């Protein structure tokens, strides 16, 4: 599905990147997976429809754009995302703070 001009793959995605697995009001980001350079709403969507070799973003690449705000389409670098305090720096929409519990699935920690 195209969201703000970016291809986002996953299961039952809405216009703000919510998916079958995460679909509350504040679940509105997609993460570009390092291994396949493709946006997915979550790790489970990537497991279902992504590549066969999941890899996390290495610290040396944290300056790259890797997180998409589903509300406005702003792309955050990994550094921006990890320091944004669960809101988009562009439109101020809230992100799910619980996502930080899963950061090891996406980013080198």
């Amino acid at each position: 599905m195209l969201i703000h001009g970016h291809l986002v793959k996953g299961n039952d995605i809405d216009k703000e990147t919510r998916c079958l697995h995460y679909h509350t009001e504040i679940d509105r980001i997609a993460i570009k997976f390092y291994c396949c350079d493709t946006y997915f709403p979550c790790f489970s969507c990537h497991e279902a429809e992504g590549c066969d070799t999941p890899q996390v973003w290495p610290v040396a690449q944290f300056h790259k754009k890797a997180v998409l705000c589903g509300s406005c389409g702003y792309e955050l670098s990994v550094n921006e995302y990890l320091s944004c305090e669960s809101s988009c720096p562009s439109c101020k929409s809230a992100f799910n703070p619980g996502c930080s519990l899963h950061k090891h699935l996406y980013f080198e920690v």
Side-chain angles (χ1 to χ4, degrees):
M1 167 181 258
L2 278 181
I3 299 176
H4 300 290
H6 300 276
L7 178 64
V8 179
K9 293 183 177 182
N11 297 309
D12 199 22
I13 304 170
D14 76 4
K15 65 183 177 126
E16 287 195 342
T17 74
R18 292 174 196 91
C19 68
L20 176 70
H21 310 102
Y22 296 96
H23 48 268
T24 69
E25 173 62 25
I26 56 176
D27 290 315
R28 62 169 48 98
I29 65 159
I31 298 171
K32 185 184 290 183
F33 276 71
Y34 181 74
C35 44
C36 56
D37 198 37
T38 303
Y39 277 114
F40 289 88
C42 71
F43 186 80
S44 296
C45 284
H46 181 260
E47 277 187 334
E49 296 187 26
C51 68
D52 293 329
T53 56
Q55 296 175 4
V56 297
W57 281 90
V59 172
Q61 299 293 313
F62 278 15
H63 64 283
K64 301 267 179 130
K65 303 289 184 183
V67 179
L68 177 67
C69 173
S71 288
C72 72
Y74 181 73
E75 287 185 286
L76 292 79
S77 70
V78 177
N79 283 327
E80 278 182 296
Y81 176 68
L82 294 176
S83 65
C84 75
E85 298 184 13
S86 300
S87 68
C88 177
S90 179
C91 72
K92 308 301 181 212
S93 291
F95 297 154
N96 189 338
C99 291
S100 65
L101 300 173
H102 307 125
K103 66 183 174 187
H104 66 283
L105 298 173
Y106 308 102
F107 314 116
E108 189 175 78
V109 290

